Amino acid sequence: MVSNDEIRKKLSDKKEGKKQIKKNLAEDRTPSSEEIKMKFKQKKEVPSENRGYLFCKTCNGYYELQQGESASNFESCQCGGKLKHIDTLDSLNLSYKPNKNK
């Protein structure tokens, strides 16, 4: 059986632990919600580096264009199908995600 003194000691230790956590957070200077919103807004305004994708209707494969590449650098898909340049995968309206190994 646990004595009242032991219970008081555990509660006291728990309160001290919470105080220490608050102190640590204050010392680390946790950013305010306004600062976090501003950072997300700034990140959102950065232009995307996306150069688009090449999509094959034959095998439903796609390839994300890398820096220095353009759609004209590619003649056809590995499966022999014709490639189509698209800006985003969302524009495909597929019910499933195609294989990304093309």
Side-chain angles (χ1 to χ4, degrees):
M1 187 167 203
V2 180
S3 71
N4 286 341
D5 290 336
E6 289 174 317
I7 293 172
R8 285 188 195 106
K9 170 100 173 87
K10 286 186 180 187
L11 288 173
S12 175
D13 290 346
K14 191 173 182 178
K15 286 180 186 178
E16 285 301 315
K18 286 182 180 180
K19 286 180 187 178
Q20 187 62 42
I21 290 171
K22 287 181 182 179
K23 181 180 175 187
N24 290 344
L25 287 174
E27 288 173 357
D28 290 345
R29 196 179 143 353
T30 304
S32 70
S33 59
E34 287 302 315
E35 289 172 309
I36 293 171
K37 286 178 189 177
M38 183 62 82
K39 285 186 181 189
F40 276 117
K41 184 177 179 184
Q42 289 171 347
K43 185 169 181 150
K44 196 175 187 180
E45 292 171 355
V46 173
S48 173
E49 295 292 324
N50 183 5
R51 288 158 187 76
Y53 299 86
L54 295 176
F55 174 71
C56 176
K57 290 182 179 180
T58 305
C59 68
N60 287 337
Y62 67 94
Y63 173 76
E64 183 176 4
L65 291 171
Q66 304 299 309
Q67 185 174 3
E69 294 179 337
S70 72
S72 62
N73 295 127
F74 300 87
E75 292 179 16
S76 63
C77 180
Q78 292 174 342
C79 75
K82 188 174 180 181
L83 295 170
K84 178 182 178 183
H85 182 262
I86 56 174
D87 291 327
T88 66
L89 295 176
D90 295 335
S91 62
L92 296 175
N93 293 326
L94 296 175
S95 59
Y96 65 96
K97 291 284 184 196
N99 293 333
K100 190 178 179 178
N101 11 345
K102 298 289 175 198

